[in-house]
Amino acid sequence: MLKGWSLIADALSHATVPGVAVAYMAGLPFSIGAFVSGGLAAIAILFIKQRSILKEDVAIGIIFTSFFAFGLFLLSLSPSSVDLQRILMGNILAIAPWDSFQMLVISFITLSFLILYWKDLLLVFFDEQQAWAVGINPNKLKILFFACLSATILAAMQTVGALLVIAVVVTPGATAYLLSDKFKHILFISVAIGGLSSLIGTYLSYFIDGATGAVIVCIQTICFAIAFLFAPKQGLFMPKKQRSQGSKEQYV
Amino acid sequence: MFDLSQLFSSGTVHALILPFSFDFMLQAFIVVLVISLPMAVLSCYIVLKGWSLMGDAIAHAVLPGIVLAYLLAIPLSIGAFAAGLCCAITTGFIKENSRLREDTIMGIVFSGMFAIGIILFHQANTELHLTHLLLGDVLGIQTSDVIETAFLAVLVLTVLIIRGRDLMLLIFDPQQAKITGINVQFWHYGFQVLLALTIVAALHAVGMILSVALLIIPGASALLVTKQFSRMIMLSSIIATGCSFFGVYLSFYIDSSPAATIVLLMALLCCSMFCFKLYADKKLVRSELAGHPH
């Protein structure tokens, strides 16, 4: 989130659709197809960005829409294969035990990677030059990070669907960033928000009989709105004094 | 000779013009061509400004507007337009009042609105098809929709033709634009209004998600091969209309989704242009190296 990669998550989640479609036709497990096409999309984005004058956001836009269109094209050619709505919206209530096992493994690997490397990652994100100087290879870490990201997105897709993945990846981090300055605190708060909102969201969706993924995202968005309005330092309403003081200090 | 003429008169030609003999196909052709022009022109501005994801955000954010409009029984486009505008304004407001990056804010706002839309949709039990909203339903389009789309498209195009130069200045050099007396703030939002209008117009034809593709790919492909703005607009219009036409035409024969076929054609074209550009650049470098031996 701090790196300005918010929309990569969105792009990757859209880009997995053709993978799912192909995997379905070939009778392979969904997750392999989704992972492969997500990886292809990530590589294509990096390649276009390096080799042409187009900006990164344009590259992301082109790649994910083309992948998505390709997926829809495949699906429209072979109707009645996969339930499109299920890919797009996710279906948390119909998750098979095998899927939840997959998800556990993915979460575990991602978490342990983040814990092992989080200092190096931090350095790469905030100061690439410095990272080179210290002897870390940023590209390698970036690729690893992307792999983790796409694995996580994959896991998230099955629960909230391709269209809402971005909210789950971005919103908790952004909310935490409004509340705190320290990276450690940000991580902690964001994990707390993510976990709690998923719990409450699932619980609520049982009562209002709504789409679970959407309810979770709504709760996270409400959290963000509250943080935006009332956060101690960055909030809009609370700290008029502090905010003006801060800006004065800047001028001085 | 006889064989040839017979072939043309009966088999091939008949098969080739078959799509034009259906009313729904004709309407689909008209709608797609009409909508692809303003989108192509807008896409040039978007690509240069680096606002590709703004289109994505607005396209997602229109969903709650559509569902609400359906519930209140007002025209769907009004609801969609209001929701798109709401998304743009919220994004701008949060950006000015916090330290988050614009892309993060967009992600939060549009996914939040989209989630609200989906919840409403599930609650409302409407007759709308979610897939039609998301992916468009160009073959089942009504005449009134065609008129509405054409009206919006003409409106956007007129504004772009009249105010195109100001917008261009705004994109390349906001400081300069301010000095010459253009209201930067106003046009910043004005541009987003145009964007929202175009997306609303494109809803019937290509759906929410693929309208994003139409707003990015033509401009990006044109930017790959030319550096002149007027030429870029021309090229992107040609790409957009050509791909739209052949996309619908092809989809008739291979029985695929028209919107997806259009975008796929565009992506293929863009890809081949990209490869061509790579090849040309390499050739250029090589000839320069050969011309100036060190």
Side-chain angles (χ1 to χ4, degrees), chain A residues 171 175 179 193 197 217-228:
Chain A
T171 313
T175 314
L179 292 173
I193 291 175
S197 61
V217 173
C218 266
I219 289 177
Q220 289 185 348
T221 314
I222 292 169
C223 282
F224 174 77
I226 294 172
F228 173 65

Side-chain angles (χ1 to χ4, degrees), chain B residues 13-29:
Chain B
V13 172
H14 185 68
L16 282 179
I17 59 164
L18 186 65
F20 299 103
S21 55
F22 293 101
D23 275 350
F24 66 91
M25 283 308 285
L26 275 180
Q27 273 184 343
F29 278 121

